[in-house]
Amino acid sequence: MRKPEFMIADPVLSRRLESVLRPTPDGLWCPEGAFFIDPPRPVERAVITHGHADHARAGHGSVLATPETLAIMGERYGRDFAVHAQPLAYGERITVGKVELSLAPAGHVLGSAQATIRRGGLTVTASGDYKRRRDPTCIPFEPVPSDVFITEATFGLPVFRHPPDVHEIARLLRSVQQFPERAHLVGAYALGKAQRVIRLLREAGYDETIYVHGALERLNRLYEHFGVDLGPLAPATGSKADFAGRIIIAPPSALADRWSRRFPDPVTAFASGWMSVRARARQRGVELPLVLSDHADWDELTDTLTELSPQEVWITHGRDDALRRWAELNGLKARALHLVGYEDEDDD
Ligand SMILES: [Zn+2]
Ligand SMILES: [Zn+2]
């Protein structure tokens, strides 16, 4: 881990923060609550913001998270993913050690939460991964007024401006119409993106059966269990001819796999925020790049900082330079934490 860059002019605030939340090589550590937030290694007590593998790891002593996130972890790691699992619903406040802890929706994936720590009039919010635009598979981001707001910066460059998702889904449906003899194979991360693509297709009026790779089945069922209606789904098994004009959703790694050879002349699509970068689409052999991100783009990041206008902004990971500079130009104190171990889930 590189040394954090301190841009702090308020020594009183920094001293108070020392006991409330501080970045360490093992992640964000709350000394007075004796827990880590999204620790990259197994720890005694962890608060987990959401189920993506780089945030939710197996092997902690106790885990506190939303019921949805705990269910996702149980699905991915087995029921004994931690010694003790404690559900905390959005908006509920509990005392952990000497601090008060609550979770607020982050709008990233099902169950995703921002963790807010309150102690002696000081409020610190670690947002985890988040986005601000509507997502039919999860509850929208809820701004929590905070003295310190901790943000990611996966797409923290002004070039990243994600288009409206209805626009991208319409491009997919147009292509299906245009090539009725070909299959459309859409790469989408198994947790969150896949269900969002399916749900957006339904909202666009597509009510045909959508075929899914086996790796998505359990998470799809879990989303449905939590009330996200995905419509008619079926396993992607059958003869080649069955898939002409059909949409198949698969994890990104399956696109280049021999698995994909079972489909007739597939149009390869990939749903990711990175698809705005032409070189990335080319590199992956993607014919139909769909710019669909579960992370805030530049406008969402800067709008969020403007809206919350915290005393301090901490940037966990991603393109922190530009965002830090933007914050400072706009009168916000900002600090890059360079936390390691987090990557974008699409960026495998
Ligand atoms: Zn994530
Ligand atoms: Zn992440």
Side-chain angles (χ1 to χ4, degrees):
M1 190 168 86
R2 268 194 283 162
K3 211 172 172 332
E5 290 151 39
F6 284 86
M7 304 297 296
I8 300 167
D10 186 347
V12 179
L13 178 62
S14 351
R15 212 169 38 247
R16 291 175 67 202
L17 278 167
E18 275 292 292
S19 60
V20 176
L21 198 68
R22 63 167 98 127
T24 76
D26 289 320
L28 292 166
W29 163 243
C30 171
E32 292 193 325
F35 59 82
F36 286 93
I37 299 175
D38 292 351
R41 279 186 285 272
V43 298
E44 200 145 313
R45 283 218 281 186
V47 171
I48 304 295
T49 62
H50 67 285
H52 280 147
D54 53 329
H55 298 258
R57 304 200 185 246
H60 301 308
S62 81
V63 167
L64 185 146
T66 62
E68 294 88 345
T69 296
L70 293 179
I72 290 165
M73 291 179 79
E75 198 62 69
R76 296 191 128 182
Y77 302 130
R79 288 194 191 289
D80 53 355
F81 65 89
V83 178
H84 179 70
Q86 183 182 357
L88 184 64
Y90 294 131
E92 233 175 274
R93 291 190 186 192
I94 55 160
T95 303
V96 181
K98 290 181 185 164
V99 303
E100 190 186 71
L101 178 75
S102 60
L103 301 175
H108 177 55
V109 295
L110 179 73
S112 64
Q114 311 172 67
T116 298
I117 302 170
R118 293 181 176 88
R119 165 72 166 145
L122 189 68
T123 305
V124 180
T125 296
S127 58
D129 293 340
Y130 69 97
K131 68 175 175 295
R132 301 302 305 268
R133 60 190 67 204
R134 179 184 168 275
D135 177 338
T137 68
C138 63
I139 299 173
F141 178 97
E142 187 186 298
V144 181
S146 303
D147 300 293
V148 178
F149 181 69
I150 306 174
T151 182
E152 53 140 327
T154 304
F155 291 101
L157 284 175
V159 291
F160 291 117
R161 291 198 155 91
H162 307 320
D165 49 18
V166 287
H167 178 260
E168 299 305 283
I169 290 298
R171 286 176 53 235
L172 171 59
L173 290 173
R174 258 201 313 277
S175 179
V176 172
Q177 246 170 10
Q178 201 178 345
F179 303 108
E181 72 292 350
R182 300 177 71 185
H184 279 70
L185 185 54
V186 183
Y189 190 81
L191 169 57
K193 192 65 63 64
Q195 297 78 22
R196 185 173 164 212
V197 168
I198 294 169
R199 193 58 227 148
L200 288 171
L201 282 165
R202 299 309 183 201
E203 290 190 346
Y206 187 81
D207 49 19
E208 304 281 327
T209 296
I210 295 174
Y211 295 86
V212 296
H213 186 282
L216 306 180
E217 279 171 13
R218 289 190 311 169
L219 285 169
N220 286 346
R221 262 202 301 278
L222 192 139
Y223 266 67
E224 296 223 280
H225 169 80
F226 281 103
V228 180
D229 180 9
L230 300 177
L233 304 176
T237 50
S239 66
K240 237 182 198 187
D242 297 341
F243 295 104
R246 301 298 190 169
I247 297 176
I248 303 116
I249 316 280
S253 58
L255 296 185
D257 209 80
R258 57 183 305 124
W259 177 85
S260 67
R261 291 187 212 153
R262 66 177 71 184
F263 307 110
D265 186 22
V267 173
T268 304
F270 184 27
S272 161
W274 297 111
M275 287 299 100
S276 64
V277 182
R278 292 236 159 256
R280 294 234 192 178
R282 248 196 326 268
Q283 201 177 31
R284 281 179 168 267
V286 173
E287 187 176 341
L288 182 65
L290 303 172
V291 187
L292 277 169
S293 174
D294 284 331
H295 295 266
D297 69 3
W298 177 255
D299 291 327
E300 292 168 68
L301 289 169
T302 55
D303 287 352
T304 301
L305 298 189
T306 303
E307 179 181 359
L308 290 171
S309 166
Q311 287 190 57
E312 257 179 50
V313 178
W314 291 4
I315 306 167
T316 53
H317 66 290
R319 313 309 196 259
D320 49 32
D321 282 352
L323 191 61
R324 190 165 54 86
R325 222 164 296 135
W326 179 91
E328 282 161 12
L329 284 171
N330 287 274
L332 296 168
K333 281 169 205 143
R335 170 182 175 189
L337 305 181
H338 306 297
L339 294 186
V340 294
Y342 304 105
E343 65 271 332
D344 179 50
E345 55 280 356
D346 288 338
D347 209 16
D348 51 5

